Amino acid sequence: MAADSAAPNPSPLLICIYTVFVCISVSALVHAQTLSLGSKHNSISQLKDTLVYLWPLPAEYTFGYGTLSVDPDLSLAVGGNGGNSTIVRDAFERYRAIIFKHGPSNFRPMKSHISKVRVVVHSDNEELQLGTDESYSLIVAESDDRSIIAEATIEHGRSRPLVNQTHQSIVNAVSLRGLLLVLVPCGFAVPCYGQVEVPQGTVSTRQGCGICMGSGPKNLDTAVCAEKTSLRGSMEDICRCGRRSSMLQSEEWSFHDISAPILSLHADALLIDNTLSKFFSDVVPRPVDVETRDFSTSHCCSGEVLFDRKRNFSVRSNAKLAWRVILINGQKLRRLFDGSRMYMLRALVAKRLEQFKYRDRDMLKQLRRSRLICKFCLWSIAWVRELVPQYKMGLVTTSNGLVGVVVCDMLMADTSRHYYPVDVIKQIIESMSYAKLNVLHWHIIDEESFPLEVPTYPKLWKGAYSKWERYTIEDADEIVNLLSMSSCCQIVKLRQEKRLRRLRFTDCINVMAEVDVPGHAESWGAGYPDLWPSASCREPLDVSKNFTFDLIAGILTDMRKIFPFELFHLGGDEVHTDCWTSTPHVQQWLRDHNMTAKDAYQYFVLRAQQIAISKNWTPVNWEETFNAFPTKLNPRTVVHNWLGGGVCPKAVGQGFRCIFSNQGFWYLDHLDVQWDGVYNAEPLEGISGVSDQQLVLGGEVCMWGETADPSVVQQTIWPRAAAAAERLWSNREAISTRNINITALPRLEYFRCLLTRRGVPAAPVTNFYARSPPSGPGSCYEQ
Amino acid sequence: MVKLVVGVLFLGLVFQLVVSTVDIDSLNIWPMPHSVSYGHQVLYMSKDFELRTEGSKYPDASGILKDGFSRFLYVIRASHVVDGNVSDSQQSLVLQGINVLISSANDELQYGIDESYKLSIASSGDPVYAHLEAQTVYGALHGLQTFSQLCQFNFHTRLIEVRQTPWDISDQPRFPYRGLLIDTSRHYLPLPIIKKVVDSMTYTKLVDVVKRQTILPEIALIKENLSFAICLCFASGYWNFWVSSLSLTEVELTFSSLQVNVLHWHIVDSQSFPLEIPSYPNLWNGAYSIPERYTMADAAEVVRQVKPELSSNNFSFCSYAQRRGINVLAEIDVPGHAQSWGTGYPTLWPSQDCQQPLDVSNEFTFQVIDGILSDLSKVFKFKYVHLGGDEVNTRENCFDGDYLKAIFTYPQNWLTLVFRLQKQGMNASQGYEYFVLRAQEIALSHGYECINWEETFRTFGDKLKLKTVVHNWYALKILVPSNLISLFVTYQCGLEKFIGHGDMLKPCFTYWWWWPRWWCRLDVGVAAQVVAAGLRCIVSRQDKWYLDHLDNFWPEFYSYEPLTNITDPKQQELVIGGEVCMWGETVDGSDIEQTIWPRAAAAAERLWTPYEKLAKDPAQVIGRLTQFRCLLNQRGVAAAPLTGYGRDAPREPGSCYMQ
């Protein structure tokens, strides 16, 4: 036990790293919105605006339209049993470095900014294995507490107590800091309407449609409101507040003016349909005479409003939508909403608009016409009512468990066809973590070369291309176990001391090694020619000699020391047995054992499987083994599909687990597969039963190395691997039901730009051939 | 058994071959040093390899040397786990550290600083130290780069070893200006990518970066349409039209050449204006989108030291390029290639319908240029600024109007412009000259010296200030009529001046026998004329040193000689260097590295190594360049294989050293 705790490996904790990533992306949301505003495609920009620019899509999420700035000196607070892990701390530091890599911009905090990230990890088990709970929930919210203005909270845990714990800890946060009001209305205000005191505060929008909020029914105190607003230092807000108060007093409830999603939740919780509509019917007809001002410091910058034709705000029918309400000059608003369907209206802060004045003239004209620019106030509401009963809440929640089936997102790299220097592999691993891929399938050895050192059989790596194109066992260990805490710390320290900017340790990525036997192993014989059936006929490995199996056992023994992942890939594909039948001594052996070549193939694969199992590995084999002798395979075998569709249904039908890599879609070296082909490939196609679906471990995109060396490998992988990553991570219904050109493509393009901003050379998304260059000058977001 | 033996022999032979091609019995330093001698001993790097600066006059207050040294330690490790132990008997073979002796205390990075160094590594001693002497810290950085190429990770001993000691290297660059141009206007290049490029530049001792934009596609179009234009010329008698398109084509064909210790940052162009200009805050409205921008602080981080208070807690906030000994040359291309400026300030456009070149008649234009240059001068401390001046298409109805188009489509605009110009007593070409010279004045007033593209020299070379550096890019086509009709056309159209005889004859514009046909020959470029006129020159000939021409193979980069046809030593000195240009039309963050490398490295050797030491036949250096390309890959730089077009993927599996 002591050993366990002393030698921690990659773990579920790490998944929280993702959450930091999501957090970052959330802050990027702001860009996304303004981006789409600036887009030249007016027709789709509205739709774009409803997208969440996160990749892959979280299982559940809600969002608002507030903007928070992030403090460069972001601090980390940890909680839970596993919160003290250095992995969390390292990951936090790394992601912070990524966000602020963009140089020393002069930090001008907005009225509220995130200065602290709170990470709660419930499990203290740090082991990284197949099926580790990777779920998390993330809340980025704003409060009105002035000392800590806003905070992001990340929850992670083994799934069962997630619900309660989430709730618990956030309520704690509220009570402790007066923060994170998000959940208060969700947790209390709704069931106990009008009874519970809501922590109070006042926020005013710059534009001046201040709305005051009291702390309970019937006790609106205008004076308090005014006083509170004045603390904010804006005279204009006070007068707005006062002006509106007469109207508000007639209501049972009053409202704080809302400038951020959290606070808006109060209103949302309170409104329960008619309150808000009543409020609006009162307020809206009165013109809000606010002139345009400099909104540069305002975080109340854009929003949306959803109305139906009767100007009802039908919260209930759109439980999953984030609610953004804008108060606009009433008459104009009414005219605008005299249409028949649900309208979606977007307003812009004037300043933003001005930036696009010459870009987007039509939109500007349109907006001017409706006089939206100068006169609006933003109110954003982010609340998912559906979530309330389950106490699962937060701006962004995701849980892989919901998808249930997909636990294994893989990327495969092939170092045999071309040698990838260690540095390049580390870059790949790091970029994988950006897309939440969690298994690197390392095809170390193939017929072309044998770059890995095997201490037990030191001549094996003579099969490398040259003496510089090799990996020592320590190199492999570093690649695989970078996560083990000791080395993490070392490397981080090293980096800080030596100011090495490019070296970063990897994320929580499992590495599955592959030793492909008996085919694809010609290079083994460079060191031990005995392994070839004969010098002229070198593949597959000689089945007749015990030495072959001794050597496999030796390799596996050595590898077991450095590959802790549960799965081990034994290949078994494309075995052409001609060499066995044409070489005399193998022929003789076959006759002696009364075997055909096919039997020998089966014998070889099964014996190799036994070796792997004896090393406590779960064998993975390519689908040929399953196709040839399904009944003989060890029941623990994981079948790795590649030839075509339909194999996984058959495999799970017989009780095997399966990994999906249909070469028509998920072979990245097929350059003519476009992103949508990759995106639409469904690992669960044709598998209906829930228990069957659980047998599909996930899928894997394969980067075979024949025509990819370090110069092109990254742009061949990205962005298509990201398309598959979303398929593997996100909820199937959420990403398959609508037109992906609208729901996914803009997000993927955005993600591609994010990758390039982080220095990962990801190719343009929509080119016909993968990895081809952009076709002409233009913005990254529109390539 | 026999088969087996033969097989083993054969295999052994194969390996022998592989190993011998790869083995470093010869020199594997890129670019080749000025003078070098070596032996056959092997030394091992100590685990605590240390930097000693005793006797050095350089205080290293800004940490440039220390930083360079830690980067050196990082790259020689190449991410391997170095955990071998040296046996006791070999303790005397351990290289304990390096003595660096710098004789100048000044670490200002400027054009023309002394970049020479002397590196010597004795094969024995007690203890053994390497010695590096340099005039400036930047020479010392080059010395460390060379040293890093002598180090190899040994897979058996798990140690880093230095082979072929004793080494004695004395080195200095051939040209003071060795540039690489990057273009952030056609595609936005994120900062990490720019930094990666800067990093990889140091490996080849290139030291300048330029950024800029062009209208090359349009020109290419015209080139293809030339015959069509000739046809028009006969049919409709639009002589003017015909001549103008020919001369344009010609301009395009004439320019081409390039080098690496300057990053020439072509920041803005017609397509976008990504840089923040505090004096004129609306200018960067011309960026593609909000995230695709650089703040001035970003630029400063790339170029220079920024906020000192930040540099203490994060090393990345220290100047990036300067720490690597790389100058950054900013380019503001006026008056052409500046359409994006008007997004923020529409009055810079001559009119809404005709958006470039910049409005010469508007005083505001020059105020903006002045504001930009004054902002830039706070950040870009390099002695030069690039003012562009290329491809100013005044005929395209802006300065004086394309007759047909302007008159029939936008009569008012055309009239207004002509009127405005005439009011100032200028025609279009005078307007161009006036603009460029005035922009030069402004740059001088901010303490810059100017670099201009060669069109300025071709159009009004005698008016340019003597301090101007002319940047060559064009390869002029010399035409040789090959049939009677083309001869007739040539004289009818006044093309005599392009006629010549040459050795590099290629047929061009071939259609039918009766069609006017010419043989073409590429001119050697404008460099000789420039230096003859007493101006300085940078070469970047486009058919040799443009990296975006994917069909320029590495031997062309290697074998192009900047001093072609310049024999007078005084004139040779006026060629301050060259530059390889990475235009951004089809290059963004996803493919910039493999488009630049390894071809830019080939040009880098041309610019660094003395002429006598350069291979006359590029084939002689292929092994060394392959080795260097693999070294780049090891260091995480995505350098493409040498075979095939620029940035091609490898065709088949194989060793890096064989591709």
Side-chain angles (χ1 to χ4, degrees):
Chain A
M1 279 324 286
D4 275 354
S5 53
N9 263 330
S11 90
L13 298 186
L14 305 181
I15 296 41
C16 60
I17 293 160
Y18 294 157
T19 56
V20 184
F21 164 75
V22 173
C23 166
I24 295 156
S25 314
V26 167
S27 68
L29 269 174
V30 184
H31 289 294
Q33 290 168 15
T34 43
L35 240 181
S36 59
L37 299 182
S39 159
K40 286 163 188 166
H41 310 300
N42 288 344
S43 52
I44 64 165
S45 60
Q46 281 198 337
L47 287 165
K48 271 188 174 178
D49 212 22
T50 65
L51 292 179
V52 175
Y53 283 81
L54 294 176
W55 192 279
L57 203 63
E60 292 169 9
Y61 58 88
T62 62
F63 62 96
Y65 267 59
T67 303
L68 301 174
S69 57
V70 182
D71 192 333
D73 296 324
L74 193 66
S75 64
L76 172 71
V78 291
N81 294 334
N84 287 323
S85 164
T86 42
I87 298 176
V88 176
R89 215 164 278 282
D90 291 342
F92 173 76
E93 287 303 327
R94 195 164 67 251
Y95 276 94
R96 197 176 66 161
I98 291 173
I99 328 177
F100 296 108
K101 178 193 229 172
H102 209 58
S105 54
N106 301 330
F107 177 57
R108 272 163 285 173
M110 294 179 180
K111 201 152 66 177
S112 45
H113 63 273
I114 299 179
S115 56
K116 178 179 272 187
V117 174
R118 182 177 158 75
V119 179
V120 180
V121 183
H122 296 303
S123 162
D124 59 354
N125 179 6
E126 296 189 340
E127 197 190 350
L128 178 63
Q129 253 323 338
L130 183 64
T132 297
D133 185 342
E134 296 175 285
S135 65
Y136 68 91
S137 62
L138 166 69
I139 296 158
V140 182
E142 183 187 18
S143 89
D144 62 343
D145 186 292
R146 242 167 281 130
S147 54
I148 305 167
I149 298 183
E151 184 174 270
T153 294
I154 298 165
E155 285 274 324
H156 168 268
R158 300 232 160 228
S159 47
R160 18 103 280 206
L162 176 70
V163 171
N164 286 332
Q165 289 188 1
T166 308
H167 179 66
Q168 187 67 38
S169 92
I170 291 184
V171 170
N172 280 346
V174 171
S175 54
L176 286 177
R177 300 194 176 76
L179 281 187
L180 289 177
L181 306 172
V182 187
L183 296 181
V184 174
C186 304
F188 296 110
V190 174
C192 322
Y193 177 66
Q195 303 280 320
V196 171
E197 284 226 346
V198 177
Q200 93 175 32
T202 304
V203 183
S204 329
T205 51
R206 282 291 245 191
Q207 293 79 359
C209 343
I211 309 161
C212 305
M213 176 176 183
S215 56
K218 298 176 196 149
N219 61 351
L220 174 81
D221 186 341
T222 315
V224 170
C225 169
E227 189 188 318
K228 290 219 173 228
T229 356
S230 71
L231 286 177
R232 302 243 162 204
S234 163
M235 293 304 291
E236 145 207 334
D237 291 340
I238 297 171
C239 71
R240 293 299 163 200
C241 194
R243 174 172 164 184
R244 196 104 40 246
S245 61
S246 59
M247 177 273 298
L248 288 168
Q249 267 170 341
S250 67
E251 302 291 334
E252 268 211 341
W253 286 83
S254 57
F255 296 86
H256 274 269
D257 152 355
I258 286 153
S259 59
I262 309 358
L263 288 176
S264 64
L265 280 171
H266 295 260
D268 196 14
L270 303 174
L271 69 91
I272 317 291
D273 296 351
N274 58 0
T275 316
L276 185 60
S277 41
K278 189 128 191 267
F279 170 65
F280 267 85
S281 61
D282 283 341
V283 173
V284 168
R286 307 179 189 174
V288 184
D289 302 314
V290 187
E291 289 310 312
T292 315
R293 271 164 239 267
D294 180 4
F295 297 123
S296 59
T297 56
S298 168
H299 51 283
C300 163
C301 54
S302 69
E304 279 183 4
V305 60
L306 290 158
F307 293 92
D308 65 14
R309 77 172 87 168
K310 291 171 189 155
R311 292 203 288 139
N312 286 332
F313 310 92
S314 44
V315 181
R316 57 185 169 275
S317 58
N318 289 284
K320 280 223 160 187
L321 272 178
W323 276 79
R324 289 132 252 152
V325 180
I326 310 159
L327 295 182
I328 314 168
N329 181 319
Q331 281 75 18
K332 302 293 176 189
L333 194 69
R334 196 177 302 144
R335 202 175 304 150
L336 263 171
F337 291 108
D338 272 347
S340 56
R341 292 182 302 137
M342 181 80 89
Y343 278 88
M344 198 176 286
L345 173 81
R346 190 183 54 220
L348 312 168
V349 169
K351 172 117 187 195
R352 299 270 183 205
L353 253 188
E354 206 140 77
Q355 287 170 346
F356 291 96
K357 202 184 278 175
Y358 304 106
R359 274 279 156 93
D360 216 341
R361 274 174 227 143
D362 287 346
M363 177 188 274
L364 186 76
K365 272 182 212 151
Q366 198 187 335
L367 286 164
R368 281 215 175 114
R369 214 177 295 131
S370 52
R371 297 171 59 86
L372 288 181
I373 307 169
C374 308
K375 304 182 178 179
F376 76 91
C377 171
L378 163 73
W379 185 346
S380 76
I381 297 176
W383 178 53
V384 179
R385 196 198 237 185
E386 256 184 11
L387 295 180
V388 174
Q390 300 147 28
Y391 299 101
K392 273 188 189 174
M393 50 207 54
L395 270 185
V396 179
T397 51
T398 186
S399 158
N400 206 9
L402 288 183
V403 189
V405 259
V406 181
V407 290
C408 192
D409 323 337
M410 296 184 174
L411 175 70
M412 184 179 133
D414 173 2
T415 56
S416 171
R417 273 56 180 266
H418 278 102
Y419 174 82
Y420 297 126
V422 182
D423 203 30
V424 174
I425 295 185
K426 287 181 184 168
Q427 284 176 20
I428 294 173
I429 291 180
E430 188 178 339
S431 56
M432 280 172 70
S433 72
Y434 298 152
K436 300 191 179 63
L437 292 167
N438 70 352
V439 178
L440 176 75
H441 172 179
W442 187 3
H443 187 85
I444 311 177
I445 305 155
D446 206 300
E447 57 197 39
E448 283 86 0
S449 79
F450 196 118
L452 184 72
E453 177 189 26
V454 177
T456 321
Y457 292 92
K459 285 190 218 158
L460 273 173
W461 71 351
K462 287 194 171 177
Y465 281 127
S466 69
K467 57 183 175 182
W468 294 283
E469 291 172 294
R470 293 177 174 176
Y471 307 101
T472 65
I473 203 87
E474 289 87 359
D475 289 341
D477 191 34
E478 193 182 272
I479 291 170
V480 176
N481 294 324
L482 271 173
L483 271 187
S484 78
M485 272 197 301
S486 51
S487 62
C488 277
C489 303
Q490 275 168 7
I491 292 174
V492 168
K493 217 188 280 168
L494 190 77
R495 194 173 83 226
Q496 285 167 349
E497 278 170 12
K498 303 193 173 168
R499 305 182 165 183
L500 306 178
R501 325 188 65 246
R502 306 263 314 278
L503 175 64
R504 242 174 264 118
F505 65 93
T506 57
D507 268 281
C508 30
I509 311 279
N510 293 292
V511 181
M512 173 170 76
E514 174 171 356
V515 172
D516 197 346
V517 289
H520 290 289
E522 184 183 334
S523 62
W524 299 31
Y528 297 95
D530 269 1
L531 295 170
W532 294 329
S534 72
S536 56
C537 196
R538 298 173 169 181
E539 261 184 355
L541 297 174
D542 190 342
V543 66
S544 67
K545 290 185 188 125
N546 269 332
F547 177 61
T548 311
F549 296 100
D550 292 348
L551 192 129
I552 293 175
I555 294 175
L556 263 55
T557 310
D558 282 346
M559 287 176 122
R560 180 77 258 198
K561 291 173 196 152
I562 52 171
F563 289 94
F565 190 47
E566 180 190 338
L567 303 180
F568 187 85
H569 208 301
L570 283 171
D573 60 324
E574 298 186 312
V575 178
H576 305 292
T577 48
D578 299 352
C579 272
W580 288 346
T581 49
S582 66
T583 310
H585 76 271
V586 184
Q587 233 174 346
Q588 184 59 41
W589 183 88
L590 289 175
R591 268 198 299 273
D592 292 350
H593 290 78
N594 197 16
M595 281 187 192
T596 63
K598 203 181 155 194
D599 294 339
Y601 167 47
Q602 176 186 333
Y603 164 78
F604 198 114
V605 169
L606 295 182
R607 194 161 163 191
Q609 283 197 340
Q610 280 310 320
I611 297 172
I613 289 169
S614 73
K615 310 280 177 223
N616 201 16
W617 257 322
T618 303
V620 183
N621 276 102
W622 293 104
E623 68 170 79
E624 281 98 330
T625 55
F626 172 77
N627 297 341
F629 41 90
T631 54
K632 301 282 174 22
L633 282 176
N634 186 299
R636 285 171 64 190
T637 308
V638 178
V639 178
H640 193 168
N641 150 259
W642 70 279
L643 281 168
V647 175
C648 275
K650 272 188 235 155
V652 300
Q654 302 202 25
F656 291 107
R657 286 178 291 174
C658 183
I659 296 170
F660 175 88
S661 295
N662 188 338
Q663 63 171 347
F665 308 111
W666 281 7
Y667 265 29
L668 295 173
D669 55 324
H670 291 203
L671 298 179
D672 53 350
V673 180
Q674 282 97 50
W675 79 273
D676 49 341
V678 177
Y679 191 84
N680 283 329
E682 173 56 57
L684 297 183
E685 194 69 58
I687 303 171
S688 48
V690 175
S691 58
D692 280 357
Q693 289 189 345
Q694 276 167 357
L695 288 174
V696 178
L697 290 182
E700 174 181 305
V701 282
C702 300
M703 179 66 262
W704 293 107
E706 278 89 347
T707 63
D709 70 356
S711 70
V712 290
V713 66
Q714 287 269 31
Q715 46 275 72
T716 321
I717 294 177
W718 306 107
R720 291 181 302 163
E726 176 151 305
R727 174 63 52 186
L728 289 166
W729 177 271
S730 304
N731 206 323
R732 182 175 176 182
E733 289 73 36
I735 60 172
S736 341
T737 44
R738 290 165 62 194
N739 182 353
I740 57 168
N741 280 324
I742 296 168
T743 58
L745 181 59
R747 292 172 42 245
L748 185 56
E749 285 180 327
Y750 184 82
F751 184 68
R752 179 240 159 183
C753 298
L754 186 75
L755 287 175
T756 55
R757 278 214 299 274
R758 293 178 180 180
V760 180
V765 179
T766 49
N767 280 349
F768 188 78
Y769 288 108
R771 84 178 171 210
S772 46
S775 50
S779 166
C780 175
Y781 300 91
E782 285 165 12
Q783 284 291 335
Chain B
M1 199 53 207
V2 175
K3 266 187 179 177
L4 187 72
V5 172
V6 171
V8 172
L9 281 179
F10 172 69
L11 195 83
L13 189 64
V14 168
F15 271 90
Q16 201 56 47
L17 278 178
V18 170
V19 169
S20 61
T21 342
V22 168
D23 211 350
I24 325 177
D25 279 334
S26 55
L27 272 179
N28 271 310
I29 304 173
W30 192 280
M32 180 67 84
H34 188 269
S35 78
V36 57
S37 71
Y38 57 94
H40 296 285
Q41 302 285 325
V42 176
L43 291 180
Y44 302 98
M45 300 278 282
S46 158
K47 278 204 188 104
D48 316 309
F49 191 80
E50 60 168 342
L51 171 72
R52 297 208 314 199
T53 51
E54 283 130 41
S56 174
K57 295 201 181 104
Y58 175 66
D60 201 21
S62 49
I64 294 179
L65 182 63
K66 282 196 202 78
D67 200 42
F69 181 71
S70 49
R71 263 180 286 123
F72 159 79
L73 288 182
Y74 174 57
V75 296
I76 60 170
R77 185 174 164 255
S79 283
H80 285 297
V81 178
V82 183
D83 60 352
N85 284 316
V86 185
S87 65
D88 288 342
S89 61
Q90 290 178 318
Q91 283 300 336
S92 62
L93 297 180
V94 173
L95 194 55
Q96 298 290 353
I98 183 167
N99 271 323
V100 179
L101 208 64
I102 298 170
S103 36
S104 159
N106 186 2
D107 64 357
E108 199 199 352
L109 179 64
Q110 201 38 279
Y111 167 77
I113 54 163
D114 189 329
E115 296 177 277
S116 65
Y117 66 91
K118 276 187 191 145
L119 174 67
S120 62
I121 305 169
S123 60
S124 62
D126 189 26
V128 196
Y129 272 87
H131 291 273
L132 178 62
E133 279 176 47
Q135 284 297 310
T136 64
V137 63
Y138 302 106
L141 292 180
H142 289 315
L144 286 175
Q145 282 303 339
T146 305
F147 192 6
S148 75
Q149 294 189 21
L150 306 178
C151 302
Q152 280 279 350
F153 177 68
N154 186 314
F155 283 79
H156 293 284
T157 60
R158 262 73 154 168
L159 287 168
I160 294 169
E161 59 188 22
V162 182
R163 298 181 170 208
Q164 294 169 285
T165 57
W167 282 97
D168 213 340
I169 298 174
S170 146
D171 203 1
Q172 67 186 59
R174 182 178 175 208
F175 290 102
Y177 184 105
R178 305 177 304 282
L180 166 69
L181 177 145
I182 58 172
D183 173 2
T184 56
S185 173
R186 272 57 177 269
H187 281 104
Y188 177 82
L189 297 174
L191 285 167
I193 305 265
I194 296 184
K195 290 179 183 170
K196 270 173 113 175
V197 170
V198 171
D199 265 345
S200 49
M201 280 171 72
T202 62
Y203 302 147
T204 52
K205 309 191 177 73
L206 284 178
V207 194
D208 291 344
V209 180
V210 189
K211 302 196 184 185
R212 92 158 228 157
Q213 314 171 319
T214 27
I215 348 174
L216 284 180
E218 294 162 35
I219 293 184
L221 191 71
I222 294 171
K223 209 189 330 184
E224 279 166 19
N225 286 343
L226 187 55
S227 309
F228 179 65
I230 296 167
C231 168
L232 263 186
C233 140
F234 276 109
S236 347
Y238 288 144
W239 301 103
N240 277 327
F241 177 45
W242 145 231
V243 172
S244 72
S245 24
L246 181 67
S247 57
L248 191 58
T249 314
E250 190 134 25
V251 174
E252 185 247 333
L253 295 172
T254 313
F255 283 88
S256 78
S257 67
L258 174 107
Q259 283 205 16
V260 200
N261 73 341
V262 177
L263 180 72
H264 175 175
W265 187 359
H266 186 81
I267 310 175
V268 299
D269 207 298
S270 316
Q271 282 85 352
S272 77
F273 196 116
L275 184 70
E276 175 190 24
I277 301 293
S279 315
Y280 290 91
N282 287 354
L283 275 174
W284 73 350
N285 292 359
Y288 282 126
S289 67
I290 289 174
E292 291 176 291
R293 292 177 176 180
Y294 308 100
T295 64
M296 218 46 174
D298 291 340
E301 195 206 348
V302 171
V303 182
R304 290 273 135 187
Q305 197 90 19
V306 265
K307 297 185 137 190
E309 70 271 23
L310 286 175
S311 64
S312 57
N313 63 13
N314 192 332
F315 50 86
S316 73
F317 288 157
C318 303
S319 64
Y320 203 82
Q322 185 189 6
R323 285 182 172 272
R324 286 151 181 80
I326 293 190
N327 295 291
V328 181
L329 167 70
E331 174 171 356
I332 297 296
D333 198 347
V334 290
H337 289 291
Q339 186 178 352
S340 62
W341 298 31
T343 314
Y345 296 97
T347 49
L348 293 173
W349 291 329
S351 75
Q352 284 290 326
D353 313 298
C354 180
Q355 303 183 336
Q356 62 183 4
L358 296 173
D359 189 348
V360 64
S361 64
N362 191 342
E363 200 55 28
F364 180 62
T365 310
F366 297 99
Q367 284 168 15
V368 172
I369 294 175
D370 187 54
I372 292 175
L373 287 172
S374 94
D375 285 346
L376 288 186
S377 65
K378 288 169 200 145
V379 170
F380 293 84
K381 300 290 184 194
F382 193 43
K383 182 177 169 188
Y384 297 103
V385 69
H386 205 302
L387 287 176
D390 60 323
E391 300 183 315
V392 180
N393 190 354
T394 55
R395 282 195 185 277
E396 200 53 56
N397 80 17
C398 282
F399 279 178
D400 63 351
D402 172 331
Y403 312 116
L404 299 172
K405 193 176 160 197
I407 292 176
F408 290 112
T409 50
Y410 307 111
Q412 326 86 316
N413 296 333
W414 176 68
L415 285 174
T416 326
L417 275 161
V418 172
F419 180 67
R420 274 202 238 155
L421 276 171
Q422 278 173 351
K423 213 162 57 175
Q424 297 178 10
M426 277 189 267
N427 64 19
S429 69
Q430 283 167 328
Y432 170 43
E433 177 187 325
Y434 165 76
F435 198 113
V436 170
L437 294 180
R438 184 147 173 210
Q440 287 196 342
E441 293 280 350
I442 296 172
L444 288 174
S445 75
H446 289 290
Y448 279 125
E449 289 182 29
C450 310
I451 303 179
N452 275 100
W453 293 102
E454 73 171 63
E455 281 95 330
T456 53
F457 175 79
R458 286 181 180 276
T459 322
F460 45 89
D462 47 336
K463 305 264 178 47
L464 284 176
K465 305 227 161 28
L466 267 184
K467 275 189 160 180
T468 309
V469 179
V470 177
H471 193 163
N472 149 260
W473 67 278
Y474 215 65
L476 178 65
K477 260 188 184 169
I478 305 264
L479 301 177
V480 183
S482 72
N483 62 11
L484 280 177
I485 299 171
S486 55
L487 196 66
F488 174 76
V489 170
T490 305
Y491 284 95
Q492 282 300 309
C493 302
L495 297 178
E496 303 90 47
K497 57 182 171 175
F498 299 123
I499 289 187
H501 300 280
D503 39 356
M504 301 161 54
L505 292 179
K506 288 190 222 164
C508 50
F509 321 133
T510 311
Y511 281 77
W512 303 280
W513 65 267
W514 48 267
W515 197 256
R517 259 194 307 184
W518 289 267
W519 296 90
C520 321
R521 174 172 80 90
L522 289 174
D523 184 21
V524 289
V526 79
Q529 297 165 40
V530 171
V531 295
L535 296 172
R536 286 170 299 176
C537 184
I538 297 169
V539 287
S540 297
R541 204 172 128 141
Q542 67 174 356
D543 63 337
K544 305 288 185 191
W545 279 3
Y546 265 28
L547 292 162
D548 55 323
H549 290 205
L550 299 179
D551 52 351
N552 288 351
F553 301 101
W554 74 266
E556 301 182 55
F557 281 82
Y558 189 87
S559 54
Y560 176 60
E561 170 55 48
L563 298 184
T564 310
N565 283 13
I566 304 173
T567 47
D568 181 351
K570 274 189 186 156
Q571 290 189 1
Q572 286 187 345
E573 273 175 27
L574 289 173
V575 178
I576 62 173
E579 179 177 298
V580 282
C581 298
M582 182 66 272
W583 296 109
E585 279 86 352
T586 61
V587 170
D588 65 4
S590 69
D591 57 348
I592 187 166
E593 282 192 4
Q594 54 272 53
T595 318
I596 294 179
W597 309 109
R599 293 181 297 159
E605 175 148 308
R606 173 65 57 178
L607 291 166
W608 176 275
T609 307
Y611 186 74
E612 315 75 51
K613 288 221 144 194
L614 288 163
K616 302 295 169 278
D617 176 6
Q620 293 167 359
V621 300
I622 189 164
R624 204 155 48 85
L625 187 57
T626 308
Q627 189 88 25
F628 183 70
R629 180 239 160 184
C630 297
L631 184 75
L632 287 177
N633 279 349
Q634 272 171 27
R635 295 178 180 181
V637 179
L642 292 181
T643 50
Y645 289 94
R647 79 178 167 220
D648 260 10
R651 285 176 202 163
E652 55 193 16
S655 165
C656 171
Y657 297 92
M658 308 291 261
Q659 290 187 330

